[in-house]
Amino acid sequence: MKTLVKNGHIVTATDDYHADVLIVDGVIEHIGRHLTVEADRVIDAQGLLVLPGGIDAHTHFDMPFGGTMSSDDFLTGTRAAAFGGTTTVVDFAIQQRGHSVQEAFENWQAKAEGKATIDYGFHMILSEATPDILRDMQTMVDQGVTSFKMFTAYPGVFMVDDGGIFRALQRAGEIGGLIAMHAENGSVIDVLVEQALSRGETAPKYHALTRPPEAEAEATHRAIVLAKLAESPLYIVHLSAYHALEEVTDARDQGQLVFAETCPQYLFLSYDNYEEPGFDGAKYVMSPPLRPKEHQERLWQGLRTDDLQVVSTDHCPFCMKDQKILGQDNFAKIPNGAPGVETRMSLIYDGGVATHRISLNRFVEITATTPAKLFGMFPKKGTIAVGSDADLVLFDPEGLTTWSVNTAHMRVDYNPYEGRQTAGAIRMVLSRGEVVVDGPTFLGREGRGQFLKRHTFSNP
Ligand code: URP
Ligand code: ZN
Ligand code: ZN
């Protein structure tokens, strides 16, 4: 199958030029000016940006959490991702205590196979660091699961003590793995939650008030020190506050291999959202929580200066009607998480490129290229180059997109960005050369997504 994308304005993390792209059997075969090749399909990209498909390195599809399941599965979640210009996701498989990582891996394969409409990889959540788990990290790496999420939060569920985290960091360093850390001081937060509830403070906003930025900064600092002692790289997930960013910046300035992602919710939403009427603040209950507005510009600055390298979503949707409501009388029972897999690319283009905070190249870098490099998928994914998968987004910089729960494709009953307009519009999305999104129409086949066996960590 040959597809020719003609007259596009190609942008990668480093390049910006006009050319045609010839795709043969899903792979970019040739890039050049005025290509005269017979093709089965010719797509005219005149006036459109041709961007590498987005990579969302942090999703939770079909995930048991907070007494319920995240509401998108691998079909609805990857379909929404594709509509939003994301062609690769890395989801989190969960090793439950007392169970093996192999079981978790097979469990997540079963969730994704036959459903995913775009390509996907897995990180592995380690809920404990027993000798068996530490040993089996190697078998995960052998199977292409080369990153492991650990938590300093959620005592009794996911939290592992410092010794366990240190052992896992050492092991990851030995075998080419990367530890992705959820950094919040869970023990302190539990005390604050208990004290708030005992004062009768049950509304959603107390979720934020009991998870202060200092609790994130302390755990970020601790994880960085443990990684230094273990001589291992470290990736901080969903960084939300400038306090934590300062920790990452200091470590990077000292030459340590520390990387961090933030998410659109921390750049566009704020503590004020918890003050929305009634129970609406529950829409934004996630961990870490939304911060006061003044954090936002500091995070944008971090993205500009490469102290933050990635924007992913932490997409973990729960419906207000029958899921968030579990915490109606107690904020600590509101399932933690929010939707975002579909809105990420448009929001970052709008708040980043259209408002001149970052360049178009940098936009591609933080939404596609660096996640591909950090998580062992480059150059198959994350760029437009001969030999790379033809994962492409045809983006109209003159368009305008209005976001609403009524038009978005995520399986959830609200949109945190309801009514927001973003500059630009996604016109077409190709995954391995197949048009999966054409305007408002989804053309991707259920189950066409392929598992990505990722490479070991290398410094991007
Ligand atoms: O609130 C959040 N972030 N939910 C998803 C799970 C996690 O910690 O990433
Ligand atoms: Zn987390
Ligand atoms: Zn997450």
Side-chain angles (χ1 to χ4, degrees):
M1 171 78 181
K2 283 188 183 176
T3 304
L4 186 60
V5 180
K6 285 198 75 69
N7 308 315
H9 175 177
I10 297 172
V11 179
T12 69
T14 49
D15 303 309
D16 185 323
Y17 56 96
H18 288 78
D20 304 339
V21 181
L22 177 67
I23 302 161
V24 178
D25 296 335
V27 173
I28 297 174
E29 173 82 11
H30 195 65
I31 303 173
R33 288 255 165 99
H34 315 299
L35 295 183
T36 51
V37 202
E38 286 287 305
D40 304 292
R41 177 163 190 186
V42 178
I43 297 167
D44 187 7
Q46 183 73 45
L48 302 178
L49 299 172
V50 180
L51 308 170
I55 298 182
D56 189 344
H58 191 150
T59 64
H60 300 281
F61 298 144
D62 208 0
M63 178 202 188
F65 197 46
T68 182
M69 302 289 289
S70 61
S71 58
D72 267 318
D73 64 12
F74 274 84
L75 170 60
T76 61
T78 58
R79 190 168 55 200
F83 270 111
T86 286
T87 51
T88 300
V89 292
V90 189
D91 201 80
F92 288 83
I94 303 182
Q95 178 267 324
Q96 305 280 4
R97 288 185 181 167
H99 295 260
S100 70
V101 284
Q102 187 62 31
E103 189 181 332
F105 176 53
E106 287 166 14
N107 196 353
W108 246 257
Q109 287 284 29
K111 286 175 189 276
E113 268 171 11
K115 283 197 166 178
T117 66
I118 55 170
D119 295 348
Y120 57 93
F122 302 133
H123 311 282
M124 180 61 62
I125 288 178
L126 302 180
S127 304
E128 56 195 347
T130 61
D132 285 358
I133 296 290
L134 293 166
R135 182 198 60 215
D136 292 347
M137 285 169 73
Q138 178 69 63
T139 62
M140 287 298 104
V141 168
D142 296 343
Q143 292 170 91
V145 178
T146 54
S147 41
F148 303 88
K149 184 176 179 188
M150 300 192 80
F151 292 75
T152 60
Y154 303 122
V157 185
F158 291 133
M159 192 171 101
V160 174
D161 68 15
D162 291 352
I165 290 173
F166 181 61
R167 284 184 197 279
L169 281 161
Q170 284 182 320
R171 183 78 174 132
E174 278 164 24
I175 64 176
L178 180 61
I179 299 289
M181 189 65 69
H182 179 132
E184 288 184 294
N185 187 320
S187 307
V188 167
I189 287 167
D190 269 9
V191 173
L192 293 172
V193 169
E194 189 191 304
Q195 291 172 347
L197 290 174
S198 73
R199 290 192 294 269
E201 297 168 349
T202 58
K205 69 176 179 184
Y206 293 105
H207 171 77
L209 296 173
T210 54
R211 302 185 91 93
E214 289 80 358
E216 184 185 6
E218 183 280 325
T220 304
H221 179 81
R222 187 163 22 115
I224 288 170
V225 174
L226 295 178
K228 186 176 182 180
L229 290 171
E231 298 177 24
S232 160
L234 176 69
Y235 181 84
I236 304 289
V237 292
H238 47 46
L239 187 148
S240 71
Y242 67 76
H243 307 65
L245 177 57
E246 283 170 358
E247 300 291 344
V248 171
T249 304
D250 285 352
R252 289 176 62 82
D253 287 350
Q254 287 167 40
Q256 202 178 328
L257 285 185
V258 176
F259 308 92
E261 65 177 22
T262 190
C263 310
Q265 53 269 33
Y266 303 121
L267 297 163
F268 290 88
L269 305 173
S270 74
Y271 174 80
D272 296 352
N273 291 97
Y274 294 115
E275 303 279 4
E276 288 179 13
F279 188 60
D280 275 5
K283 293 175 180 171
Y284 315 97
V285 166
M286 63 187 79
S287 296
L290 301 178
R291 304 300 187 186
K293 271 206 172 73
E294 62 263 25
H295 290 256
Q296 294 174 352
E297 214 45 59
R298 299 281 287 270
L299 298 180
W300 280 112
Q301 185 183 321
L303 288 168
R304 255 197 320 274
T305 56
D306 203 36
D307 290 306
L308 293 169
Q309 298 76 40
V310 172
V311 177
S312 58
T313 62
D314 194 12
H315 176 85
C316 190
F318 297 103
C319 291
M320 284 293 282
K321 194 166 150 276
D322 51 2
Q323 297 186 295
K324 292 282 188 180
I325 200 76
L326 294 170
Q328 195 176 23
D329 302 319
N330 177 349
F331 69 87
K333 294 195 174 149
I334 301 171
N336 284 203
V341 76
E342 189 170 357
T343 38
R344 177 184 70 127
M345 298 289 280
S346 291
L347 285 167
I348 300 304
Y349 179 86
D350 181 67
V353 181
T355 52
H356 307 290
R357 285 189 177 105
I358 57 173
S359 69
L360 203 42
N361 298 113
R362 182 67 180 154
F363 166 73
V364 171
E365 195 167 31
I366 62 181
T367 57
T369 314
T370 301
K373 287 181 177 176
L374 270 171
F375 294 110
M377 296 178 279
F378 188 82
K380 180 178 168 67
K381 302 291 187 190
T383 195
I384 298 174
V386 172
S388 296
D389 282 357
D391 293 354
L392 304 174
V393 177
L394 274 50
F395 188 84
D396 179 358
E398 304 301 325
L400 193 63
T401 305
T402 304
W403 292 98
S404 169
V405 65
N406 300 319
T407 47
H409 302 84
M410 301 176 282
R411 189 163 63 186
V412 60
D413 60 359
Y414 72 99
N415 190 317
Y417 306 97
E418 189 66 37
R420 185 183 287 263
Q421 290 199 319
T422 53
I426 291 159
R427 299 291 183 216
M428 187 178 274
V429 179
L430 286 79
S431 163
R432 279 180 283 104
E434 271 178 55
V435 177
V436 289
V437 170
D438 188 359
T441 310
F442 188 71
L443 298 171
R445 219 174 354 95
E446 193 170 335
R448 66 167 293 288
Q450 293 179 356
F451 173 68
L452 292 163
K453 194 170 173 217
R454 296 182 293 112
H455 301 298
T456 51
F457 170 79
S458 66
N459 185 4

